[in-house]
Amino acid sequence: MHIKILVTGGTFDKEYDERTGQLFFKSTHLGEMLRRGRCNADVAVETLMMIDSLDMTDKERKIIADHCRQAEEKHIVITHGTDTMEITGKFLSEAGIPKTIVLTGAMIPYKFGSSDGFFNLGSALAFSQALPYGVYVAMNGQCFDAAHVRKNKEKGIFEPI
């Protein structure tokens, strides 16, 4: 089973500038994460954009949807910032793309070492192979229907609505 991974940025791929204390984007960490995780799944990684999800608009969501629609693969994982993941999830759900699409991200950047991104990526890859067509959000070992999920910022988790 071939899986397409679409990279959009978010905390998952942020770097930390020790001089300024700012978070920024350089390049995706997906290749390193897949190697370190000893991923044996047949995956193809494509970087669509490297932006904070707070900067994402429907223009970028349309790009994501178009790439999902055009992909040969029927199983797609999208790395995405958590602040607007539910908006993109709902957008993709409404697009009616007949594929299994799983969005995932991280609350802590991968480069911090204590990131949840590593675990979330593995979970998303597994869910993408096991679930029927639809759009999902996979975070912290749980999977949700993307049209009915929200980020609870107080608790730092995703939950069904």
mmCIF file of all heavy atoms in Angstrom, residues 1-50:
data_model
loop_
_atom_site.group_PDB
_atom_site.id
_atom_site.type_symbol
_atom_site.label_atom_id
_atom_site.label_comp_id
_atom_site.label_asym_id
_atom_site.label_seq_id
_atom_site.Cartn_x
_atom_site.Cartn_y
_atom_site.Cartn_z
ATOM 1 N N MET A 1 0.843 -1.169 0.000
ATOM 2 C CA MET A 1 0.000 0.000 0.000
ATOM 3 C C MET A 1 0.893 1.238 0.000
ATOM 4 O O MET A 1 1.762 1.382 0.849
ATOM 5 C CB MET A 1 -0.872 -0.033 1.266
ATOM 6 C CG MET A 1 -1.820 1.114 1.353
ATOM 7 S SD MET A 1 -2.917 1.006 2.794
ATOM 8 C CE MET A 1 -3.648 -0.594 2.591
ATOM 9 N N HIS A 2 0.687 2.086 -0.965
ATOM 10 C CA HIS A 2 1.490 3.298 -1.111
ATOM 11 C C HIS A 2 0.791 4.452 -0.401
ATOM 12 O O HIS A 2 -0.402 4.660 -0.589
ATOM 13 C CB HIS A 2 1.685 3.601 -2.598
ATOM 14 C CG HIS A 2 2.757 4.593 -2.878
ATOM 15 N ND1 HIS A 2 4.090 4.353 -2.610
ATOM 16 C CD2 HIS A 2 2.701 5.835 -3.391
ATOM 17 C CE1 HIS A 2 4.805 5.410 -2.966
ATOM 18 N NE2 HIS A 2 3.978 6.316 -3.433
ATOM 19 N N ILE A 3 1.525 5.216 0.410
ATOM 20 C CA ILE A 3 0.978 6.341 1.165
ATOM 21 C C ILE A 3 1.678 7.622 0.733
ATOM 22 O O ILE A 3 2.906 7.686 0.678
ATOM 23 C CB ILE A 3 1.177 6.147 2.680
ATOM 24 C CG1 ILE A 3 0.571 4.825 3.145
ATOM 25 C CG2 ILE A 3 0.585 7.333 3.448
ATOM 26 C CD1 ILE A 3 1.000 4.412 4.536
ATOM 27 N N LYS A 4 0.898 8.640 0.445
ATOM 28 C CA LYS A 4 1.436 9.963 0.131
ATOM 29 C C LYS A 4 1.423 10.781 1.418
ATOM 30 O O LYS A 4 0.413 10.814 2.124
ATOM 31 C CB LYS A 4 0.570 10.631 -0.935
ATOM 32 C CG LYS A 4 0.968 12.053 -1.261
ATOM 33 C CD LYS A 4 2.263 12.110 -2.012
ATOM 34 C CE LYS A 4 2.019 12.581 -3.417
ATOM 35 N NZ LYS A 4 3.185 12.517 -4.246
ATOM 36 N N ILE A 5 2.549 11.406 1.742
ATOM 37 C CA ILE A 5 2.612 12.323 2.886
ATOM 38 C C ILE A 5 2.779 13.732 2.332
ATOM 39 O O ILE A 5 3.750 14.011 1.615
ATOM 40 C CB ILE A 5 3.774 11.992 3.837
ATOM 41 C CG1 ILE A 5 3.671 10.549 4.354
ATOM 42 C CG2 ILE A 5 3.797 12.990 4.995
ATOM 43 C CD1 ILE A 5 4.848 10.113 5.214
ATOM 44 N N LEU A 6 1.820 14.596 2.632
ATOM 45 C CA LEU A 6 1.868 15.986 2.197
ATOM 46 C C LEU A 6 2.256 16.852 3.395
ATOM 47 O O LEU A 6 1.618 16.814 4.440
ATOM 48 C CB LEU A 6 0.498 16.421 1.657
ATOM 49 C CG LEU A 6 -0.015 15.645 0.445
ATOM 50 C CD1 LEU A 6 -1.433 16.101 0.083
ATOM 51 C CD2 LEU A 6 0.926 15.810 -0.741
ATOM 52 N N VAL A 7 3.312 17.621 3.237
ATOM 53 C CA VAL A 7 3.845 18.479 4.294
ATOM 54 C C VAL A 7 3.323 19.895 4.085
ATOM 55 O O VAL A 7 3.420 20.439 2.988
ATOM 56 C CB VAL A 7 5.391 18.471 4.261
ATOM 57 C CG1 VAL A 7 5.963 19.436 5.291
ATOM 58 C CG2 VAL A 7 5.926 17.063 4.459
ATOM 59 N N THR A 8 2.783 20.489 5.167
ATOM 60 C CA THR A 8 2.310 21.871 5.070
ATOM 61 C C THR A 8 2.978 22.805 6.077
ATOM 62 O O THR A 8 2.726 24.000 6.061
ATOM 63 C CB THR A 8 0.775 21.963 5.246
ATOM 64 O OG1 THR A 8 0.426 21.630 6.586
ATOM 65 C CG2 THR A 8 0.058 21.056 4.255
ATOM 66 N N GLY A 9 3.784 22.257 6.984
ATOM 67 C CA GLY A 9 4.457 23.100 7.972
ATOM 68 C C GLY A 9 3.913 22.833 9.356
ATOM 69 O O GLY A 9 3.753 21.694 9.763
ATOM 70 N N GLY A 10 3.616 23.897 10.080
ATOM 71 C CA GLY A 10 3.115 23.757 11.444
ATOM 72 C C GLY A 10 4.244 23.497 12.425
ATOM 73 O O GLY A 10 5.421 23.398 12.061
ATOM 74 N N THR A 11 3.881 23.367 13.686
ATOM 75 C CA THR A 11 4.849 23.145 14.760
ATOM 76 C C THR A 11 5.723 21.931 14.485
ATOM 77 O O THR A 11 6.897 21.898 14.856
ATOM 78 C CB THR A 11 4.117 22.996 16.110
ATOM 79 O OG1 THR A 11 3.401 24.206 16.360
ATOM 80 C CG2 THR A 11 5.081 22.738 17.251
ATOM 81 N N PHE A 12 5.152 20.939 13.833
ATOM 82 C CA PHE A 12 5.859 19.723 13.440
ATOM 83 C C PHE A 12 7.260 20.027 12.900
ATOM 84 O O PHE A 12 8.233 19.385 13.269
ATOM 85 C CB PHE A 12 5.016 19.081 12.326
ATOM 86 C CG PHE A 12 5.082 17.593 12.265
ATOM 87 C CD1 PHE A 12 4.198 16.832 13.007
ATOM 88 C CD2 PHE A 12 5.978 16.949 11.439
ATOM 89 C CE1 PHE A 12 4.225 15.457 12.932
ATOM 90 C CE2 PHE A 12 6.011 15.582 11.372
ATOM 91 C CZ PHE A 12 5.130 14.827 12.122
ATOM 92 N N ASP A 13 7.342 21.003 12.015
ATOM 93 C CA ASP A 13 8.589 21.283 11.297
ATOM 94 C C ASP A 13 9.298 22.564 11.720
ATOM 95 O O ASP A 13 10.214 23.014 11.039
ATOM 96 C CB ASP A 13 8.309 21.342 9.789
ATOM 97 C CG ASP A 13 8.290 19.962 9.168
ATOM 98 O OD1 ASP A 13 9.137 19.128 9.543
ATOM 99 O OD2 ASP A 13 7.430 19.710 8.303
ATOM 100 N N LYS A 14 8.909 23.145 12.830
ATOM 101 C CA LYS A 14 9.555 24.388 13.251
ATOM 102 C C LYS A 14 10.931 24.126 13.860
ATOM 103 O O LYS A 14 11.187 23.091 14.458
ATOM 104 C CB LYS A 14 8.672 25.139 14.234
ATOM 105 C CG LYS A 14 7.497 25.797 13.533
ATOM 106 C CD LYS A 14 6.774 26.744 14.424
ATOM 107 C CE LYS A 14 5.716 27.480 13.611
ATOM 108 N NZ LYS A 14 4.894 28.330 14.466
ATOM 109 N N GLU A 15 11.798 25.117 13.690
ATOM 110 C CA GLU A 15 13.142 25.133 14.271
ATOM 111 C C GLU A 15 13.164 26.259 15.305
ATOM 112 O O GLU A 15 12.360 27.187 15.243
ATOM 113 C CB GLU A 15 14.186 25.447 13.195
ATOM 114 C CG GLU A 15 14.217 24.483 12.033
ATOM 115 C CD GLU A 15 15.156 23.329 12.257
ATOM 116 O OE1 GLU A 15 15.927 23.359 13.231
ATOM 117 O OE2 GLU A 15 15.119 22.403 11.453
ATOM 118 N N TYR A 16 14.113 26.190 16.209
ATOM 119 C CA TYR A 16 14.245 27.208 17.252
ATOM 120 C C TYR A 16 15.547 27.971 17.074
ATOM 121 O O TYR A 16 16.615 27.368 16.999
ATOM 122 C CB TYR A 16 14.205 26.537 18.627
ATOM 123 C CG TYR A 16 14.357 27.495 19.781
ATOM 124 C CD1 TYR A 16 13.348 28.392 20.091
ATOM 125 C CD2 TYR A 16 15.509 27.489 20.560
ATOM 126 C CE1 TYR A 16 13.473 29.265 21.159
ATOM 127 C CE2 TYR A 16 15.646 28.355 21.633
ATOM 128 C CZ TYR A 16 14.622 29.245 21.920
ATOM 129 O OH TYR A 16 14.755 30.113 22.971
ATOM 130 N N ASP A 17 15.462 29.295 16.986
ATOM 131 C CA ASP A 17 16.644 30.150 16.891
ATOM 132 C C ASP A 17 17.044 30.542 18.311
ATOM 133 O O ASP A 17 16.348 31.336 18.958
ATOM 134 C CB ASP A 17 16.332 31.388 16.046
ATOM 135 C CG ASP A 17 17.554 32.256 15.818
ATOM 136 O OD1 ASP A 17 18.453 32.299 16.689
ATOM 137 O OD2 ASP A 17 17.612 32.909 14.763
ATOM 138 N N GLU A 18 18.149 29.995 18.792
ATOM 139 C CA GLU A 18 18.581 30.228 20.173
ATOM 140 C C GLU A 18 18.971 31.686 20.430
ATOM 141 O O GLU A 18 18.907 32.154 21.560
ATOM 142 C CB GLU A 18 19.743 29.301 20.518
ATOM 143 C CG GLU A 18 19.324 27.847 20.546
ATOM 144 C CD GLU A 18 20.478 26.901 20.815
ATOM 145 O OE1 GLU A 18 21.561 27.366 21.235
ATOM 146 O OE2 GLU A 18 20.280 25.698 20.608
ATOM 147 N N ARG A 19 19.385 32.393 19.391
ATOM 148 C CA ARG A 19 19.771 33.794 19.569
ATOM 149 C C ARG A 19 18.568 34.698 19.760
ATOM 150 O O ARG A 19 18.581 35.594 20.587
ATOM 151 C CB ARG A 19 20.588 34.286 18.379
ATOM 152 C CG ARG A 19 21.953 33.629 18.258
ATOM 153 C CD ARG A 19 22.652 34.075 17.014
ATOM 154 N NE ARG A 19 21.706 33.893 15.908
ATOM 155 C CZ ARG A 19 21.852 34.351 14.689
ATOM 156 N NH1 ARG A 19 22.911 35.047 14.384
ATOM 157 N NH2 ARG A 19 20.961 34.118 13.751
ATOM 158 N N THR A 20 17.519 34.477 18.963
ATOM 159 C CA THR A 20 16.360 35.372 19.014
ATOM 160 C C THR A 20 15.190 34.788 19.801
ATOM 161 O O THR A 20 14.270 35.521 20.152
ATOM 162 C CB THR A 20 15.862 35.678 17.584
ATOM 163 O OG1 THR A 20 15.355 34.475 17.001
ATOM 164 C CG2 THR A 20 16.965 36.279 16.730
ATOM 165 N N GLY A 21 15.211 33.473 20.033
ATOM 166 C CA GLY A 21 14.092 32.819 20.710
ATOM 167 C C GLY A 21 12.892 32.602 19.815
ATOM 168 O O GLY A 21 11.823 32.214 20.276
ATOM 169 N N GLN A 22 13.074 32.831 18.520
ATOM 170 C CA GLN A 22 11.975 32.694 17.557
ATOM 171 C C GLN A 22 11.921 31.288 16.975
ATOM 172 O O GLN A 22 12.947 30.625 16.813
ATOM 173 C CB GLN A 22 12.163 33.693 16.401
ATOM 174 C CG GLN A 22 12.156 35.138 16.825
ATOM 175 C CD GLN A 22 10.798 35.599 17.294
ATOM 176 O OE1 GLN A 22 9.784 35.283 16.708
ATOM 177 N NE2 GLN A 22 10.780 36.327 18.405
ATOM 178 N N LEU A 23 10.719 30.866 16.641
ATOM 179 C CA LEU A 23 10.526 29.624 15.897
ATOM 180 C C LEU A 23 10.437 29.982 14.419
ATOM 181 O O LEU A 23 9.870 31.015 14.059
ATOM 182 C CB LEU A 23 9.241 28.917 16.347
ATOM 183 C CG LEU A 23 9.254 28.400 17.780
ATOM 184 C CD1 LEU A 23 7.868 27.886 18.159
ATOM 185 C CD2 LEU A 23 10.285 27.297 17.951
ATOM 186 N N PHE A 24 11.017 29.128 13.564
ATOM 187 C CA PHE A 24 11.025 29.405 12.126
ATOM 188 C C PHE A 24 11.041 28.095 11.362
ATOM 189 O O PHE A 24 11.225 27.031 11.932
ATOM 190 C CB PHE A 24 12.238 30.271 11.748
ATOM 191 C CG PHE A 24 13.557 29.565 11.904
ATOM 192 C CD1 PHE A 24 14.171 28.973 10.799
ATOM 193 C CD2 PHE A 24 14.195 29.478 13.136
ATOM 194 C CE1 PHE A 24 15.391 28.312 10.937
ATOM 195 C CE2 PHE A 24 15.407 28.822 13.278
ATOM 196 C CZ PHE A 24 16.007 28.236 12.181
ATOM 197 N N PHE A 25 10.842 28.193 10.043
ATOM 198 C CA PHE A 25 10.882 27.022 9.168
ATOM 199 C C PHE A 25 12.166 27.006 8.364
ATOM 200 O O PHE A 25 12.620 28.041 7.885
ATOM 201 C CB PHE A 25 9.693 27.024 8.192
ATOM 202 C CG PHE A 25 8.383 26.833 8.859
ATOM 203 C CD1 PHE A 25 7.509 27.897 9.014
ATOM 204 C CD2 PHE A 25 8.005 25.593 9.348
ATOM 205 C CE1 PHE A 25 6.284 27.726 9.633
ATOM 206 C CE2 PHE A 25 6.796 25.407 9.976
ATOM 207 C CZ PHE A 25 5.928 26.484 10.117
ATOM 208 N N LYS A 26 12.729 25.834 8.224
ATOM 209 C CA LYS A 26 13.910 25.621 7.393
ATOM 210 C C LYS A 26 13.530 24.604 6.321
ATOM 211 O O LYS A 26 13.370 24.940 5.169
ATOM 212 C CB LYS A 26 15.064 25.135 8.259
ATOM 213 C CG LYS A 26 16.402 25.115 7.598
ATOM 214 C CD LYS A 26 17.465 24.761 8.640
ATOM 215 C CE LYS A 26 18.826 24.654 8.032
ATOM 216 N NZ LYS A 26 19.821 24.269 9.034
ATOM 217 N N SER A 27 13.395 23.345 6.713
ATOM 218 C CA SER A 27 12.921 22.294 5.810
ATOM 219 C C SER A 27 12.246 21.232 6.662
ATOM 220 O O SER A 27 12.397 21.205 7.884
ATOM 221 C CB SER A 27 14.082 21.696 5.002
ATOM 222 O OG SER A 27 15.037 21.135 5.870
ATOM 223 N N THR A 28 11.528 20.347 6.019
ATOM 224 C CA THR A 28 10.781 19.340 6.763
ATOM 225 C C THR A 28 11.703 18.317 7.437
ATOM 226 O O THR A 28 12.787 18.031 6.932
ATOM 227 C CB THR A 28 9.751 18.626 5.862
ATOM 228 O OG1 THR A 28 8.966 17.752 6.689
ATOM 229 C CG2 THR A 28 10.415 17.827 4.761
ATOM 230 N N HIS A 29 11.233 17.797 8.541
ATOM 231 C CA HIS A 29 11.969 16.776 9.289
ATOM 232 C C HIS A 29 11.457 15.368 8.963
ATOM 233 O O HIS A 29 11.911 14.399 9.571
ATOM 234 C CB HIS A 29 11.836 17.018 10.797
ATOM 235 C CG HIS A 29 12.254 18.385 11.224
ATOM 236 N ND1 HIS A 29 13.535 18.855 11.052
ATOM 237 C CD2 HIS A 29 11.570 19.386 11.807
ATOM 238 C CE1 HIS A 29 13.613 20.090 11.519
ATOM 239 N NE2 HIS A 29 12.426 20.431 11.977
ATOM 240 N N LEU A 30 10.523 15.271 8.022
ATOM 241 C CA LEU A 30 9.868 13.990 7.744
ATOM 242 C C LEU A 30 10.831 12.883 7.351
ATOM 243 O O LEU A 30 10.702 11.760 7.836
ATOM 244 C CB LEU A 30 8.801 14.158 6.650
ATOM 245 C CG LEU A 30 7.375 14.321 7.118
ATOM 246 C CD1 LEU A 30 6.798 13.045 7.629
ATOM 247 C CD2 LEU A 30 7.192 15.442 8.077
ATOM 248 N N GLY A 31 11.775 13.169 6.499
ATOM 249 C CA GLY A 31 12.734 12.135 6.084
ATOM 250 C C GLY A 31 13.482 11.560 7.270
ATOM 251 O O GLY A 31 13.593 10.341 7.427
ATOM 252 N N GLU A 32 13.984 12.443 8.132
ATOM 253 C CA GLU A 32 14.701 12.012 9.334
ATOM 254 C C GLU A 32 13.783 11.212 10.258
ATOM 255 O O GLU A 32 14.171 10.181 10.804
ATOM 256 C CB GLU A 32 15.245 13.240 10.068
ATOM 257 C CG GLU A 32 15.942 12.926 11.370
ATOM 258 C CD GLU A 32 16.410 14.186 12.105
ATOM 259 O OE1 GLU A 32 16.559 15.255 11.478
ATOM 260 O OE2 GLU A 32 16.619 14.078 13.320
ATOM 261 N N MET A 33 12.560 11.683 10.420
ATOM 262 C CA MET A 33 11.615 11.000 11.303
ATOM 263 C C MET A 33 11.279 9.597 10.789
ATOM 264 O O MET A 33 11.224 8.645 11.568
ATOM 265 C CB MET A 33 10.335 11.826 11.453
ATOM 266 C CG MET A 33 10.564 13.128 12.182
ATOM 267 S SD MET A 33 9.116 14.189 12.165
ATOM 268 C CE MET A 33 8.138 13.392 13.434
ATOM 269 N N LEU A 34 11.086 9.470 9.498
ATOM 270 C CA LEU A 34 10.784 8.159 8.914
ATOM 271 C C LEU A 34 11.964 7.208 9.064
ATOM 272 O O LEU A 34 11.786 6.030 9.369
ATOM 273 C CB LEU A 34 10.385 8.314 7.443
ATOM 274 C CG LEU A 34 9.056 9.032 7.198
ATOM 275 C CD1 LEU A 34 8.920 9.420 5.734
ATOM 276 C CD2 LEU A 34 7.884 8.192 7.665
ATOM 277 N N ARG A 35 13.189 7.734 8.870
ATOM 278 C CA ARG A 35 14.388 6.904 9.054
ATOM 279 C C ARG A 35 14.544 6.484 10.514
ATOM 280 O O ARG A 35 14.756 5.311 10.812
ATOM 281 C CB ARG A 35 15.639 7.647 8.589
ATOM 282 C CG ARG A 35 15.834 7.657 7.085
ATOM 283 C CD ARG A 35 17.194 8.225 6.676
ATOM 284 N NE ARG A 35 17.423 9.592 7.151
ATOM 285 C CZ ARG A 35 16.949 10.685 6.573
ATOM 286 N NH1 ARG A 35 16.192 10.593 5.498
ATOM 287 N NH2 ARG A 35 17.229 11.875 7.064
ATOM 288 N N ARG A 36 14.460 7.451 11.424
ATOM 289 C CA ARG A 36 14.614 7.145 12.850
ATOM 290 C C ARG A 36 13.540 6.189 13.353
ATOM 291 O O ARG A 36 13.794 5.382 14.246
ATOM 292 C CB ARG A 36 14.572 8.426 13.682
ATOM 293 C CG ARG A 36 15.861 9.207 13.630
ATOM 294 C CD ARG A 36 15.910 10.318 14.660
ATOM 295 N NE ARG A 36 15.790 9.782 15.998
ATOM 296 C CZ ARG A 36 15.123 10.380 16.988
ATOM 297 N NH1 ARG A 36 14.508 11.517 16.787
ATOM 298 N NH2 ARG A 36 15.070 9.836 18.185
ATOM 299 N N GLY A 37 12.341 6.305 12.799
ATOM 300 C CA GLY A 37 11.244 5.440 13.206
ATOM 301 C C GLY A 37 11.255 4.088 12.517
ATOM 302 O O GLY A 37 10.390 3.261 12.762
ATOM 303 N N ARG A 38 12.266 3.895 11.644
ATOM 304 C CA ARG A 38 12.408 2.638 10.896
ATOM 305 C C ARG A 38 11.131 2.297 10.130
ATOM 306 O O ARG A 38 10.671 1.158 10.124
ATOM 307 C CB ARG A 38 12.825 1.512 11.828
ATOM 308 C CG ARG A 38 14.171 1.796 12.490
ATOM 309 C CD ARG A 38 14.586 0.728 13.414
ATOM 310 N NE ARG A 38 14.543 -0.557 12.704
ATOM 311 C CZ ARG A 38 15.279 -1.588 12.987
ATOM 312 N NH1 ARG A 38 16.127 -1.528 13.975
ATOM 313 N NH2 ARG A 38 15.176 -2.704 12.312
ATOM 314 N N CYS A 39 10.564 3.298 9.504
ATOM 315 C CA CYS A 39 9.324 3.142 8.749
ATOM 316 C C CYS A 39 9.561 2.234 7.543
ATOM 317 O O CYS A 39 10.441 2.495 6.724
ATOM 318 C CB CYS A 39 8.819 4.507 8.281
ATOM 319 S SG CYS A 39 7.322 4.410 7.289
ATOM 320 N N ASN A 40 8.787 1.178 7.465
ATOM 321 C CA ASN A 40 8.855 0.257 6.329
ATOM 322 C C ASN A 40 7.682 0.436 5.381
ATOM 323 O O ASN A 40 7.577 -0.286 4.393
ATOM 324 C CB ASN A 40 8.912 -1.199 6.814
ATOM 325 C CG ASN A 40 10.258 -1.526 7.420
ATOM 326 O OD1 ASN A 40 11.285 -1.041 6.963
ATOM 327 N ND2 ASN A 40 10.250 -2.324 8.462
ATOM 328 N N ALA A 41 6.796 1.363 5.686
ATOM 329 C CA ALA A 41 5.664 1.631 4.798
ATOM 330 C C ALA A 41 6.191 2.266 3.511
ATOM 331 O O ALA A 41 7.206 2.970 3.517
ATOM 332 C CB ALA A 41 4.665 2.546 5.479
ATOM 333 N N ASP A 42 5.504 2.008 2.434
ATOM 334 C CA ASP A 42 5.855 2.569 1.130
ATOM 335 C C ASP A 42 5.287 3.986 1.065
ATOM 336 O O ASP A 42 4.085 4.163 0.849
ATOM 337 C CB ASP A 42 5.273 1.683 0.022
ATOM 338 C CG ASP A 42 5.623 2.162 -1.368
ATOM 339 O OD1 ASP A 42 6.512 3.022 -1.513
ATOM 340 O OD2 ASP A 42 4.985 1.665 -2.321
ATOM 341 N N VAL A 43 6.132 4.987 1.320
ATOM 342 C CA VAL A 43 5.670 6.373 1.384
ATOM 343 C C VAL A 43 6.395 7.255 0.369
ATOM 344 O O VAL A 43 7.526 6.983 -0.010
ATOM 345 C CB VAL A 43 5.847 6.981 2.796
ATOM 346 C CG1 VAL A 43 5.066 6.200 3.842
ATOM 347 C CG2 VAL A 43 7.302 7.072 3.187
ATOM 348 N N ALA A 44 5.692 8.298 -0.032
ATOM 349 C CA ALA A 44 6.275 9.347 -0.864
ATOM 350 C C ALA A 44 5.959 10.670 -0.172
ATOM 351 O O ALA A 44 4.795 10.951 0.134
ATOM 352 C CB ALA A 44 5.668 9.326 -2.260
ATOM 353 N N VAL A 45 6.992 11.467 0.101
ATOM 354 C CA VAL A 45 6.830 12.736 0.812
ATOM 355 C C VAL A 45 6.878 13.878 -0.189
ATOM 356 O O VAL A 45 7.769 13.940 -1.034
ATOM 357 C CB VAL A 45 7.936 12.918 1.875
ATOM 358 C CG1 VAL A 45 7.789 14.266 2.583
ATOM 359 C CG2 VAL A 45 7.916 11.777 2.878
ATOM 360 N N GLU A 46 5.915 14.791 -0.060
ATOM 361 C CA GLU A 46 5.880 15.982 -0.911
ATOM 362 C C GLU A 46 5.616 17.198 -0.035
ATOM 363 O O GLU A 46 4.632 17.223 0.707
ATOM 364 C CB GLU A 46 4.779 15.842 -1.964
ATOM 365 C CG GLU A 46 4.678 17.013 -2.889
ATOM 366 C CD GLU A 46 3.598 16.856 -3.950
ATOM 367 O OE1 GLU A 46 2.962 15.782 -4.025
ATOM 368 O OE2 GLU A 46 3.391 17.820 -4.700
ATOM 369 N N THR A 47 6.486 18.182 -0.112
ATOM 370 C CA THR A 47 6.288 19.418 0.642
ATOM 371 C C THR A 47 5.466 20.384 -0.202
ATOM 372 O O THR A 47 5.891 20.785 -1.284
ATOM 373 C CB THR A 47 7.642 20.059 1.025
ATOM 374 O OG1 THR A 47 8.382 19.118 1.809
ATOM 375 C CG2 THR A 47 7.447 21.337 1.807
ATOM 376 N N LEU A 48 4.284 20.742 0.305
ATOM 377 C CA LEU A 48 3.415 21.685 -0.403
ATOM 378 C C LEU A 48 3.701 23.121 0.014
ATOM 379 O O LEU A 48 3.657 24.039 -0.793
ATOM 380 C CB LEU A 48 1.940 21.381 -0.126
ATOM 381 C CG LEU A 48 1.428 20.016 -0.541
ATOM 382 C CD1 LEU A 48 -0.072 19.916 -0.280
ATOM 383 C CD2 LEU A 48 1.745 19.733 -1.997
ATOM 384 N N MET A 49 3.973 23.288 1.322
ATOM 385 C CA MET A 49 4.223 24.624 1.873
ATOM 386 C C MET A 49 4.843 24.436 3.251
ATOM 387 O O MET A 49 4.765 23.355 3.826
ATOM 388 C CB MET A 49 2.910 25.420 1.963
ATOM 389 C CG MET A 49 1.861 24.732 2.811
ATOM 390 S SD MET A 49 0.158 25.317 2.585
ATOM 391 C CE MET A 49 -0.284 24.597 1.016
ATOM 392 N N MET A 50 5.449 25.466 3.750
ATOM 393 C CA MET A 50 6.005 25.449 5.108
ATOM 394 C C MET A 50 5.512 26.722 5.794
ATOM 395 O O MET A 50 6.193 27.748 5.791
ATOM 396 C CB MET A 50 7.536 25.406 5.062
ATOM 397 C CG MET A 50 8.119 24.133 4.499
ATOM 398 S SD MET A 50 7.922 22.707 5.560
ATOM 399 C CE MET A 50 9.217 22.991 6.741
#
